[in-house]
């Protein structure tokens, strides 16, 4: 019986080559756990090696976000504004002798990656709105504009929760998303395949 060789890999990725299109700093990082096995049963068992917080919530992947900003309350001058996204994801490492497992998990893992990318894009779209509000406050009434950002902060959590509810945590793919994240998906693209060996 093959046992999974678990290794959490943290890859810090510098801003994307097209991140200059975003007016603030945006970075992605990854915490990857490896799935392995020479039978479907062994691959399934290797999911048990995922991080405790994933097991506790019965998740196979997760997108965490942390944003920071420093804005002058009087002028709305932006001194600092950034978003950090951290993906926790499985990657399937299949022995050539049992390549069928890759096919067995292909649709699931690709859908999981797309789901996590959408979480990132929802968050990024809301932070972009917040940034625009601060910019507008530099020529308008800053205190009034700052009040608008409180709703945006609430929406980040609310929209991500609603997205999970509407999609049953990725089991269903929405034909049309109501969260306005489509233009931000290119920034949130996960930079590697769900499969270590082959395609």
């Amino acid at each position: 019986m093959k046992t999974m060789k678990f290794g959490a890999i943290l890859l810090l990725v510098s801003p994307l080559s097209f991140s200059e299109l975003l007016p603030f700093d945006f970075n992605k990082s990854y915490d990857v756990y490896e799935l392995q096995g020479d039978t479907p049963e062994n691959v399934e068992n290797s999911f048990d090696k995922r991080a405790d917080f994933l097991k506790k919530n019965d998740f196979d992947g997760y997108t965490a976000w942390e944003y920071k900003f420093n804005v002058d309350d009087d002028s709305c001058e932006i001194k600092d504004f950034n978003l950090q996204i951290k993906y926790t994801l499985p990657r399937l490492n299949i022995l050539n002798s049992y390549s069928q497992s890759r096919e067995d998990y292909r649709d699931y893992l690709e859908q999981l990656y797309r789901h996590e990318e959408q979480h990132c894009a929802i968050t990024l779209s809301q932070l972009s709105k917040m940034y625009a509000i601060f910019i507008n406050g530099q020529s308008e009434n800053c205190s009034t504009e700052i009040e608008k950002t409180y709703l945006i902060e609430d929406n980040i959590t609310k929209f991500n929760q609603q997205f999970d509810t509407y999609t049953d945590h990725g089991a269903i793919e929405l034909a049309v998303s109501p969260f306005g994240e489509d233009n931000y998906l290119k920034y949130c693209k996960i930079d590697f395949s769900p499969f270590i060996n082959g395609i």
Side-chain angles (χ1 to χ4, degrees):
M1 174 186 282
K2 271 290 206 201
T3 57
M4 187 182 104
K5 185 177 176 184
F6 179 82
I9 308 164
L10 182 62
L11 300 171
L12 291 177
V13 179
S14 59
L16 301 174
S17 59
F18 46 76
S19 65
E20 62 269 15
L21 301 176
L22 290 172
F24 54 86
D25 289 337
F26 170 64
N27 289 284
K28 296 179 295 186
S29 64
Y30 302 89
D31 191 357
V32 179
Y33 65 97
E34 188 174 306
L35 305 175
Q36 252 185 359
D38 53 2
T39 66
E41 294 78 18
N42 287 346
V43 173
E44 196 63 35
N45 288 338
S46 68
F47 277 100
D48 291 339
K49 301 293 185 179
R50 65 195 189 276
D52 287 341
F53 84 93
L54 292 177
K55 287 191 283 189
K56 180 180 177 182
N57 292 288
D58 198 25
F59 295 158
D60 292 333
Y62 190 76
T63 301
W65 62 86
E66 181 180 5
Y67 60 91
K68 297 178 182 176
F69 59 87
N70 181 1
V71 176
D72 187 289
D73 291 341
D74 296 320
S75 67
C76 276
E77 178 191 356
I78 300 170
K79 299 175 181 176
D80 184 34
F81 196 105
N82 66 76
L83 171 63
Q84 309 286 329
I85 291 287
K86 181 179 180 182
Y87 291 117
T88 302
L89 298 164
R91 286 191 84 191
L92 185 59
N93 188 3
I94 288 297
L95 301 175
N96 291 333
S97 62
Y98 199 80
S99 60
Q100 182 60 42
S101 278
R102 184 166 49 247
E103 297 307 314
D104 294 342
Y105 285 93
R106 177 181 302 281
D107 290 343
Y108 173 71
L109 289 176
E110 289 177 348
Q111 187 170 336
L112 174 65
Y113 276 41
R114 285 192 302 272
H115 179 79
E116 299 308 328
E117 288 169 348
Q118 283 186 269
H119 273 300
C120 166
I122 289 168
T123 304
L124 184 54
S125 70
Q126 293 304 302
L127 264 292
S128 295
K129 287 181 182 179
M130 183 185 295
Y131 187 90
I133 287 171
F134 288 136
I135 292 295
N136 190 55
Q138 293 173 14
S139 58
E140 300 291 334
N141 185 327
C142 180
S143 60
T144 301
E145 295 299 298
I146 284 177
E147 287 181 13
K148 296 177 185 177
T149 66
Y150 303 146
L151 176 62
I152 299 290
E153 287 195 274
D154 291 342
N155 284 346
I156 293 171
T157 300
K158 182 173 81 172
F159 287 176
N160 276 289
Q161 289 174 342
Q162 288 176 343
F163 176 64
D164 273 335
T165 299
Y166 296 166
T167 63
D168 191 17
H169 292 277
I172 302 164
E173 291 193 83
L174 300 177
V176 178
S177 172
F179 303 109
E181 77 277 12
D182 288 351
N183 291 336
Y184 297 91
L185 285 167
K186 62 186 175 186
Y187 298 104
C188 293
K189 186 73 178 163
I190 294 166
D191 300 321
F192 49 81
S193 164
F195 309 100
I196 294 174
N197 293 332
I199 55 172

